[in-house]
Amino acid sequence: GEEAAGVEAEAELLEETSEEDGDFLDLTEEEQADKEERRLRRAEARGRAAERARRGGGKGKHKERLAQLAEPETLKQAMLTDGDEKIRATDLPERLQTDASVVDRPPPEAGEVRHEAQWCYERLFGESHYDSSLPE
């Protein structure tokens, strides 16, 4: 009922997102206002979808219906994929979840932090007077 109507409305707004080119240069004031209103409705729809995802209410039905109504590329652009949901649900900055050089890196070994600090200090200050007696 109401949930399905909301999903359909969100899908329509997402489709509008993929069709718009984003520049206001050739638009009249009325067209600019309409475009801004559509942008705000899309933002509100994304907020509602994110809130429902956080609550977990109707999650399976909502995802199925959205997948039926919207193209996969549109869902990807709107950050509504399963991977995006996993990132939102994990209490860790996105950059740390997606950057393989950070995720796959083992913890620093003894002395590695000190060596990196020395390297940074020399690049910043052009001197090698880093106080190596500081604890790691």
Side-chain angles (χ1 to χ4, degrees):
E2 186 178 312
E3 182 76 19
V7 171
E8 287 180 25
E10 288 176 21
E12 288 175 20
L13 291 172
L14 293 172
E15 284 301 318
E16 288 179 17
T17 302
S18 62
E19 295 170 2
E20 294 185 1
D21 60 5
D23 74 274
F24 285 85
L25 299 178
D26 299 329
L27 302 177
T28 65
E29 285 185 30
E30 187 175 315
E31 290 170 328
Q32 288 178 7
D34 288 344
K35 193 170 190 176
E36 180 64 16
E37 183 179 329
R38 285 192 308 272
R39 187 190 67 75
L40 291 172
R41 284 192 318 219
R42 284 192 307 272
E44 289 172 1
R46 281 192 294 272
R48 287 190 304 272
E51 181 60 30
R52 274 197 301 280
R54 277 192 290 280
R55 289 191 321 253
K59 197 175 204 176
K61 290 180 185 178
H62 178 74
K63 280 186 176 185
E64 287 176 21
R65 185 73 176 143
L66 202 51
Q68 291 172 351
L69 294 173
E71 294 293 323
E73 186 60 32
T74 304
L75 293 174
K76 188 174 180 181
Q77 288 175 347
M79 294 186 226
L80 294 172
T81 65
D82 289 339
D84 295 316
E85 179 56 35
K86 182 180 175 188
I87 288 171
R88 278 190 288 278
T90 304
D91 188 23
L92 188 67
E94 181 178 0
R95 70 182 184 283
L96 297 179
Q97 294 182 53
T98 58
D99 186 354
S101 67
V102 175
V103 173
D104 297 334
R105 183 178 177 172
E109 295 177 10
E112 186 178 1
V113 173
R114 178 172 281 123
H115 175 75
E116 290 177 0
Q118 175 71 35
W119 185 90
C120 291
Y121 187 89
E122 289 173 3
R123 298 308 176 280
L124 288 169
F125 302 109
E127 328 173 339
S128 60
H129 297 297
Y130 175 75
D131 184 0
S132 61
S133 67
L134 294 174
E136 287 195 33

